Amino acid sequence: MKKAIVSLLLVCTAFAGAYAQRFTDYFSDKTLRADYLFTGNVSRQEICVDQLSVLPGWAGRRHHLAELPLQGDGQIVMKDKADGTVIYKHSFSSLFQEWLDTEEAERNVSKAFENTFLMPFPLRPAEVEVTLFDSRGNVQARAVHVVDPSDILIQKKGLSHVTPHKYLLRSGSAEHCIDVAILAEGYTEGEMEEFLRDAAVACESLFGHEPFKSMKSRFNVVAVCSPSTDSGVSLPRLGEWRHTAFSSHFSTFYSDRYLTTSQVKRLHDALAGIPYEHIIVLANTDEYGGGGIYNSYTLTTAHHALFRPVVVHEFGHSFGGLADEYFYEDDIMTDTCPLDVEPWEQNVTTLVDFDSKWKSMLEEGTPIPTSPLSQQQYPVGVYEGGNYSAKGVYRPSYNCRMRTNEYPAFCPVCQKALERLIVFYTE
């Protein structure tokens, strides 16, 4: 589940003004892990630095360092403190900002949410700016802090006590591939063989879909055996609370099928010492549900009959920044997308700036909007309904993996968006 966050900038200009720079000019082959707390309510939001850590090796991109492939609903900008040069950018979404659209937040109840981000470790003092945007692209909150690589309080992690893990796919070095980690949630020590089988199914499902299938050689996938005390995950509506590795639970924001964890630091602690960029968490339950947050994590159930399509769908969110293409009546996120601005997600549009989306992929003469009765004639069109709104938001195909679990593939527009990201990270 993801809400649409809107950018004031066009995606096609995300690369404007970028310049080539060498990774080794500004960074060492290590990772800066920055833990933050996003706090507040509808009236006021704040960003607090929680802890800084250094991890061995850097698994992220070493090119396009000062560029963004997607706008996201938040950004991190790192600058060389001495001359102000932008040396790294990153975009993301957050559970905190989804929560701001809930009735609880609107009552001015204040909460804090953990968020953890990985950056290349700077050679010299660097200024890090973290910004959160609202649904219209306005700044919600901003924090600036300095990272001094010689700071003795930057904790070293990942040098010992590395979680047991097994590679399911190893196509190349972390430097040249996209590294995906699959974590166990709600599996006891005695259930790790079952987890490894489930992780293999998730891997097989993902690479059964284009464009992942044809670009499989650009990925590494590692299964991480993070043990839980209890088997299964928490089901608040049934009063069932279990002691698990990451304290995940259903009924996030009181939506029974929304499965998330607020213990983001625990996820990253379990991965310290293992090269990773993107996270999939498998929950040991047959309950239906899941969640995916752009550049944060995918969390999904491993033993429901729809496990295969759901894990791919949620990875479409967390890796690809794709929007949901379905809509419900009276859901927690219903009609949260403003209709007078263009969403940043590449597979939905309000037609405010359709030129920046898939207009160039339309067959000549395609009606805008496109009638559902014409779905066979126009595989790529402009079909009304998506991003939790029945009216005013449009999706590119009548059906897609981002709309239903029954449809077997990503639509052509989603495939193109995913391919573009894979190329950005690997070329």
Side-chain angles (χ1 to χ4, degrees):
M1 180 183 290
K2 282 180 76 277
K3 70 187 181 75
I5 308 297
V6 179
S7 167
L8 295 177
L9 301 176
L10 307 181
V11 170
C12 62
T13 64
F15 302 97
Y19 57 90
Q21 64 187 56
R22 292 188 304 174
F23 179 87
T24 53
D25 288 345
Y26 293 99
F27 302 106
S28 59
D29 186 23
K30 293 185 287 188
T31 297
L32 172 67
R33 171 181 151 180
D35 300 331
Y36 299 98
L37 292 175
F38 294 171
T39 70
N41 50 46
V42 167
S43 301
R44 181 178 179 181
Q45 304 86 41
E46 293 187 45
I47 300 167
C48 304
V49 179
D50 185 11
Q51 186 180 53
L52 301 179
S53 307
V54 58
L55 308 173
W58 167 246
R61 67 189 190 270
R62 294 173 182 250
H63 49 274
H64 307 311
L65 292 169
E67 304 169 22
L68 288 177
L70 292 174
Q71 198 67 23
D73 66 354
Q75 289 182 17
I76 292 176
V77 177
M78 180 185 283
K79 300 178 181 178
D80 184 87
K81 191 174 184 298
D83 61 16
T85 300
V86 175
I87 56 177
Y88 184 72
K89 286 185 178 181
H90 179 72
S91 58
F92 60 88
S93 295
S94 72
L95 194 62
F96 172 67
Q97 286 164 291
E98 290 187 21
W99 174 74
L100 289 175
D101 278 327
T102 68
E103 181 183 345
E104 184 179 43
E106 290 173 357
R107 295 199 306 266
N108 281 333
V109 174
S110 292
K111 284 193 171 183
F113 288 73
E114 294 180 359
N115 290 268
T116 293
F117 303 106
L118 306 180
M119 293 168 264
F121 197 81
L123 290 171
R124 297 174 293 278
E127 182 181 272
V128 176
E129 179 183 87
V130 186
T131 305
L132 304 181
F133 302 108
D134 67 15
S135 59
R136 297 183 176 278
N138 302 312
V139 174
Q140 283 182 307
R142 176 171 284 153
V144 179
H145 64 101
V146 173
V147 175
D148 184 341
S150 65
D151 187 347
I152 61 171
L153 295 183
I154 297 178
Q155 185 176 349
K156 295 178 174 64
K157 293 187 176 183
L159 298 176
S160 61
H161 308 295
V162 177
T163 310
H165 55 280
K166 176 183 178 180
Y167 275 88
L168 306 177
L169 174 65
R170 202 161 197 171
S171 300
S173 68
E175 180 179 345
H176 296 105
C177 292
I178 297 168
D179 290 271
V180 180
I182 302 178
L183 286 160
E185 167 67 332
Y187 295 81
T188 63
E189 289 277 10
E191 295 173 317
M192 283 305 158
E193 288 301 319
E194 183 179 19
F195 162 68
L196 290 173
R197 290 193 295 271
D198 293 339
V201 171
C203 186
E204 177 189 353
S205 302
L206 180 62
F207 292 103
H209 287 70
E210 292 291 356
F212 299 110
K213 183 177 181 179
S214 60
M215 305 181 85
K216 184 177 179 179
S217 63
R218 302 183 185 216
F219 286 84
N220 295 325
V221 181
V222 61
V224 181
C225 300
S226 39
S228 293
T229 302
D230 294 338
S231 180
V233 294
S234 297
L235 288 162
R237 77 177 190 279
L238 301 180
E240 296 178 3
W241 292 93
R242 292 182 170 89
H243 297 284
T244 60
F246 311 116
S247 297
S248 66
H249 63 82
F250 288 89
S251 300
T252 301
F253 309 151
Y254 300 96
S255 176
D256 285 341
R257 63 190 174 82
Y258 198 12
L259 172 65
T260 68
T261 176
S262 60
Q263 304 299 310
V264 176
K265 291 197 294 184
R266 284 199 217 165
L267 291 177
H268 290 267
D269 283 344
L271 290 168
I274 302 169
Y276 71 102
E277 298 169 81
H278 298 277
I279 301 171
I280 297 173
V281 185
L282 300 187
N284 181 20
T285 177
D286 59 5
E287 188 80 9
Y288 177 76
I293 304 167
Y294 173 53
N295 275 342
S296 184
Y297 62 80
T298 277
L299 209 169
T300 190
T301 61
H303 297 145
H304 190 273
L306 294 174
F307 166 43
R308 289 174 177 267
V310 170
V311 70
V312 177
H313 171 97
E314 299 299 349
F315 196 65
H317 291 317
S318 69
F319 173 81
L322 298 175
D324 280 318
E325 295 180 8
Y326 56 78
F327 49 91
Y328 293 126
E329 296 295 331
D330 299 322
D331 186 78
I332 192 72
M333 303 302 294
T334 296
D335 294 332
T336 55
C337 176
L339 302 183
D340 58 345
V341 286
E342 187 65 31
W344 61 264
E345 294 93 336
Q346 294 301 283
N347 62 325
V348 289
T349 182
T350 54
L351 299 178
V352 170
D353 183 19
F354 188 40
D355 286 347
S356 69
K357 295 302 176 64
W358 63 90
K359 187 175 183 179
S360 62
M361 295 177 66
L362 295 180
E363 206 176 287
E364 188 175 351
T366 302
I368 303 176
T370 311
S371 168
L373 299 176
S374 303
Q375 60 182 280
Q376 298 300 325
Q377 185 178 357
Y378 301 108
V380 177
V382 187
Y383 295 93
E384 191 167 29
N387 215 16
Y388 320 121
S389 297
K391 298 291 183 181
V393 180
Y394 302 85
R395 62 189 189 276
S397 293
Y398 183 74
N399 215 340
C400 174
R401 170 58 73 235
M402 297 310 296
R403 186 174 185 224
T404 65
N405 291 320
E406 291 72 30
Y407 197 74
F410 289 108
C411 72
V413 170
C414 288
Q415 288 189 35
K416 183 178 179 181
L418 290 167
E419 181 180 351
R420 177 176 174 268
L421 270 182
I422 295 169
V423 169
F424 176 84
Y425 289 132
T426 58
E427 293 184 9

